[in-house]
Amino acid sequence: MTHQSESATSTTPRTTTTSATTARTTPREAGAPADPSRFAPPLPPLAAPRPLGERRVWPRTFHDRLTAPLPGIKTLARFAREGAVRPGREGLADIPRLPFEPAPLPRVDARTIAVSWAGHASWVVRIGGLTVLTDPVWSRRILGTPARITPVGIAWSALPRVDAVVISHNHYDHLDAPTLRRLPRETPVFVPAGLAGWFRRRRFTQVTELDWWEAAELSGVRFDFVPAHHWSKRTLTDTCHSLWGGWVLTAPDGQRVYFAGDTGYGHWFTHIGERYPGIDLALLPIGAYDPRWWLSDVHCDPEEAVRAAQDLGARRMAPMHWGTFVLSAEPVLEPLTRVRAAWGKAGLAREDLWDLPVGGSRVLDQPGASGATQGRGELREQPHTTRTPR
């Protein structure tokens, strides 16, 4: 989550109607949490895929989707008095021990799913013969935040052709303009409601924006946009003007990967698990959680991430959103040690926690297989000079 702003730009007109869910909503002022049942669709069936590149009309704001109030004056005053946004010297001492093991991307066919962690919330997901990037951030630095403490785990030059990009929301550590400029402008991009204009102003030609529980399909792979406990803001005047959420990617054979984006813990995980049963792998955030009184509404801590995986009914979990940018006050290595402990305490199989190092990959074979490994993320001493960010 970031609070920085980018210079406001003009909007692009949109000309078609919005979804039924959005049409019923009336924007409220910031601070009013949503009624969970209001945005939970009936079961089944799943929504039919919407046309790719469809132009939509949305409400001016999505404040009514908040599940917790945004910080008010009293909260900001408390943060000014006692808030810590960075770990101390001891908390940074383990930077050389952060797991960083870049390796070539695995070779896969159209029936095999593979995930490779570039760092933070950036994944290379190979599914249904497509290469999909999630929240791609290949920059060394993002606005208002110290430079990466681990390099990007996958060189841009090592990527195969990118077939699609999914964006969870517009905060700077998830929507990185310098990285996106590297992509061909005809790359299909899937974004939350209200965010297509940002891409079209940058001349992207195949932008599909979706509401919660809506889907689109590309080459047989289904892209479903699902809720998250978070918010959006990129300029001084656009708070919650676009939506936020995660993505469920479903291969033609039914295998599923859930990318949570950025989220706090809450009821949406159970709804998502009910709506999309049989999630094979959940990519869940475990970092940027301290202090809890400030960040609990928008960022899971490691224990909550494990509970979220269980709520989802996910067969496996891969942690993310830690060990890349210093966004909060917890020690840099603490998210990994805590998620491993929480996973074991929950009695879950160790092999189903895919705690990858930055640059590591795992392959999800055909249903029933346990998956091959490249990089297990064991802690090891590494000279810091070998990990200088690009």
Side-chain angles (χ1 to χ4, degrees):
M1 181 183 73
T2 60
H3 295 265
Q4 297 80 30
S5 297
E6 178 180 80
S7 298
T9 54
S10 61
T11 59
T12 301
R14 282 162 279 203
T15 57
T16 64
T17 58
T18 183
S19 69
T21 299
T22 305
R24 291 195 303 268
T25 61
T26 301
R28 301 197 305 264
E29 293 300 320
D35 172 10
S37 62
R38 185 179 183 188
F39 301 107
L43 301 174
L46 296 177
R50 297 192 68 95
L52 294 174
E54 178 185 19
R55 288 181 177 258
R56 314 283 296 276
V57 175
W58 304 104
R60 183 174 180 273
T61 78
F62 293 91
H63 281 108
D64 57 343
R65 307 298 184 91
L66 293 169
T67 47
L70 294 178
I73 295 176
K74 290 183 179 180
T75 302
L76 294 172
R78 179 182 175 186
F79 185 77
R81 291 194 310 271
E82 59 185 75
V85 296
R86 302 286 184 267
R89 181 176 299 180
E90 291 184 0
L92 296 172
D94 283 325
I95 288 178
R97 299 183 66 221
L98 290 170
F100 175 73
E101 299 176 23
L105 295 177
R107 295 182 178 181
V108 297
D109 59 30
R111 298 177 299 169
T112 305
I113 292 176
V115 295
S116 304
W117 190 34
H120 202 53
S122 302
W123 293 86
V124 182
V125 180
R126 319 282 287 283
I127 182 170
L130 301 182
T131 296
V132 181
L133 301 186
T134 70
D135 289 358
V137 179
W138 260 251
S139 296
R140 182 174 179 267
R141 183 187 296 273
I142 57 173
L143 185 64
T145 299
R148 305 174 79 107
I149 56 175
T150 51
V152 180
I154 302 161
W156 189 263
S157 60
L159 293 175
R161 186 190 72 176
V162 176
D163 298 297
V165 173
V166 298
I167 300 295
S168 64
H169 66 300
N170 70 356
H171 286 155
Y172 280 83
D173 55 326
H174 295 259
L175 179 62
D176 183 52
T179 299
L180 292 165
R181 280 199 294 268
R182 300 185 183 193
L183 292 167
R185 295 306 185 267
E186 66 272 14
T187 304
V189 183
F190 298 87
V191 304
L195 198 53
W198 189 94
F199 283 87
R200 292 187 180 124
R201 289 191 295 274
R202 288 156 179 82
R203 300 183 180 179
F204 282 87
T205 60
Q206 298 190 51
V207 186
T208 302
E209 57 183 345
L210 298 176
D211 200 341
W212 289 347
W213 311 114
E214 290 185 339
E217 192 172 292
L218 178 67
S219 299
V221 176
R222 184 178 165 107
F223 294 73
D224 284 76
F225 188 53
V226 295
H229 299 274
H230 207 63
W231 65 304
S232 69
K233 180 180 177 68
R234 197 167 178 90
T235 75
L236 294 174
T237 60
D238 69 350
T239 301
C240 296
H241 284 198
S242 61
L243 202 48
W244 52 91
W247 293 90
V248 176
L249 308 183
T250 305
D253 65 1
Q255 293 188 94
R256 280 181 169 145
V257 175
Y258 165 61
F259 167 66
D262 207 353
T263 181
Y265 178 77
H267 61 274
W268 286 133
F269 295 114
T270 298
H271 284 296
I272 294 166
E274 292 172 346
R275 188 75 172 160
Y276 305 94
I279 293 173
D280 294 281
L281 174 64
L283 311 176
L284 286 164
I286 65 168
Y289 52 79
D290 188 30
R292 293 310 288 150
W293 65 265
W294 172 255
L295 294 170
S296 63
D297 290 332
V298 292
H299 288 162
C300 290
D301 66 23
E303 293 77 16
E304 289 170 336
V306 171
R307 285 162 55 196
Q310 294 175 294
D311 293 348
L312 291 161
R315 297 187 176 98
R316 303 164 189 86
M317 169 185 163
M320 64 173 183
H321 205 268
W322 76 280
T324 306
F325 296 107
V326 178
L327 301 176
S328 56
E330 73 271 5
V332 295
L333 196 56
E334 183 180 276
L336 180 62
T337 57
R338 281 178 57 173
V339 78
R340 288 174 171 173
W343 192 264
K345 186 176 181 180
L348 302 171
R350 180 63 181 85
E351 61 269 20
D352 291 335
L353 179 63
W354 289 12
D355 46 345
L356 297 180
V358 175
S361 299
R362 279 308 265 291
V363 176
L364 184 68
D365 292 324
Q366 291 296 308
S370 59
T373 304
Q374 287 192 24
R376 283 298 304 271
E378 291 84 356
L379 298 182
R380 60 181 64 188
E381 296 290 346
Q382 301 180 37
H384 192 225
T385 55
T386 66
R387 300 172 44 261
T388 302
R390 296 181 182 88

